[in-house]
Structures are given as structure tokens and as C-alpha cells.
Amino acid sequence: GEDRLWVKNWFKVKCFCLKHDRYINDFDSLYASLGIEDEEITDLFVDSGKHLWVVTPTHIVNTTAGFRIERKAGDASLQDIERHEGESFLFYSNSEVRCYDKEGSFLYGRSAYSDERAQQVTISSLVIKSPDGNMYQLRNGASCACLQFNPRTKTWKEMLFAKGYTLHTIIAPSDTSIYI
């Protein structure tokens, strides 16, 4: 959104302004314009609706809608964020997805795996939304997995679980097909 391209790479963030064809170097002013002042930024995400999410030590902030979700001590690592029909879905390293309403109030949480199985795929995650609203997640670690989360039924489905592979990219061009 805002004609900005956000690039995250190994603990570094860059922001490229597409309107002016240049990198933005003044992050303090940029964050202040988004309502984030005097807070440490630990991570950021952009969902498929182009909403920018900023993570601080105490909150996850949707800078577009202006709401904050409180982070709790001991939470697993936040790995991805997606939105569907006004609800926000936060995906964590322990295979849990938490759903919040349009004001940022918690609705429910669902785990794809037991703690033991989730430990095999905690290192990375990639979430995409298909045209029908289902969300597909690639997870990597000692093993790899492809999961489907259906926000209408609030259920997970394991599509693939394997050792010896790393899954990098996924697309869902239709309601009936995904490609990894």
C-alpha cells in the first residue's frame, strides 16, 4: 500500500518508494506517519490486502486500520499475517493461527499440529490466500509441510509433510489448484 515496496532480508528492512523511484532512508518519520512513535520495531509484515503490520515488543499494529493486538510473554514467534473478510489471521511458529475481528479483538485460535509435530517445522513460513479465501501455508524446519486453513470452517488440513525437502514458493491461481 501507499506505493511502497518493503524488503526484509536477514534482520534488515528497506523501503522503496515506487512513486519517487527511490529508497526511503528516514524510517523514524515514516513510522511516525503511521502512528508508531518512540517504539522499537522488531518486525513487519504486509498482508495480501497491502495492509502494513508493525511488530513491537508489546504489540502487533495494523497501521492501515489503526488497531493494536497485545503480545503476551511466552508467545511463539509470529511468522505471517493474512486477512479475509475483515478478519485478521496471525500465524505463529508453533503452528497456531489466531483470528481477530476488524477492531483487533481476539475471536479464536487453532493449532495445525501437536507441539511435538510443530517442532519439526518451526523455522520458516509462507502464507498465501487462494481466490476462494482458503489460506495455504508452507512450513519448514527439520521437515517441511504444506497446510490448508479454511477460515469458514476454522479447520486445518495437512496437504503434505516430508523430510529432506525445503518448500520455498506457493501459488494458488484457482479454487482447485495450488503449485509448490
Side-chain angles (χ1 to χ4, degrees):
E2 305 290 325
D3 290 321
R4 295 182 186 125
L5 176 65
W6 293 89
V7 181
K8 289 183 356 180
N9 188 22
W10 294 102
F11 306 103
K12 294 179 185 175
V13 173
K14 293 185 178 188
C15 183
F16 189 80
C17 178
L18 298 169
K19 285 181 186 176
H20 299 103
D21 197 29
R22 64 180 169 84
Y23 282 98
I24 296 172
N25 295 316
D26 185 1
F27 274 76
D28 290 338
S29 294
L30 178 58
Y31 289 143
S33 73
L34 298 170
I36 309 292
E37 294 186 67
D38 301 322
E39 296 181 77
E40 176 188 1
I41 308 298
T42 59
D43 207 347
L44 62 84
F45 298 88
V46 178
D47 62 38
S48 63
K50 301 181 182 175
H51 299 111
L52 177 67
W53 296 77
V54 176
V55 181
T56 73
T58 58
H59 290 90
I60 301 161
V61 183
N62 180 319
T63 63
T64 306
F67 64 78
R68 292 171 171 259
I69 296 169
E70 186 176 346
R71 295 181 70 193
K72 295 177 178 53
D75 272 351
S77 296
L78 178 64
Q79 291 184 313
D80 276 301
I81 299 177
E82 189 53 88
R83 289 178 54 80
H84 179 67
E85 295 182 352
E87 295 177 338
S88 302
F89 296 85
L90 281 60
F91 293 83
Y92 290 86
S93 61
N94 64 353
S95 85
E96 182 183 15
V97 62
R98 294 181 193 163
C99 180
Y100 296 83
D101 69 15
K102 62 184 177 182
E103 284 87 30
S105 296
F106 178 77
L107 295 175
Y108 64 88
R110 298 286 188 276
S111 292
Y113 290 131
S114 66
D115 288 343
E116 182 180 322
R117 183 115 164 149
Q119 286 299 315
Q120 298 177 51
V121 289
T122 60
I123 292 175
S124 69
S125 166
L126 172 66
V127 173
I128 60 146
K129 186 168 66 168
S130 66
D132 63 0
N134 285 325
M135 296 173 206
Y136 292 90
Q137 183 180 37
L138 299 183
R139 299 182 59 81
N140 290 288
S143 299
C144 64
C146 177
L147 302 165
Q148 177 196 63
F149 182 73
N150 183 324
R152 289 170 299 288
T153 62
K154 304 174 185 162
T155 57
W156 284 100
K157 178 180 177 183
E158 183 180 80
M159 311 291 285
L160 169 72
F161 193 93
K163 293 183 181 199
Y165 295 96
T166 300
L167 304 175
H168 291 283
T169 307
I170 183 170
I171 61 170
S174 72
D175 293 350
T176 59
S177 299
I178 62 170
Y179 297 92
I180 301 172

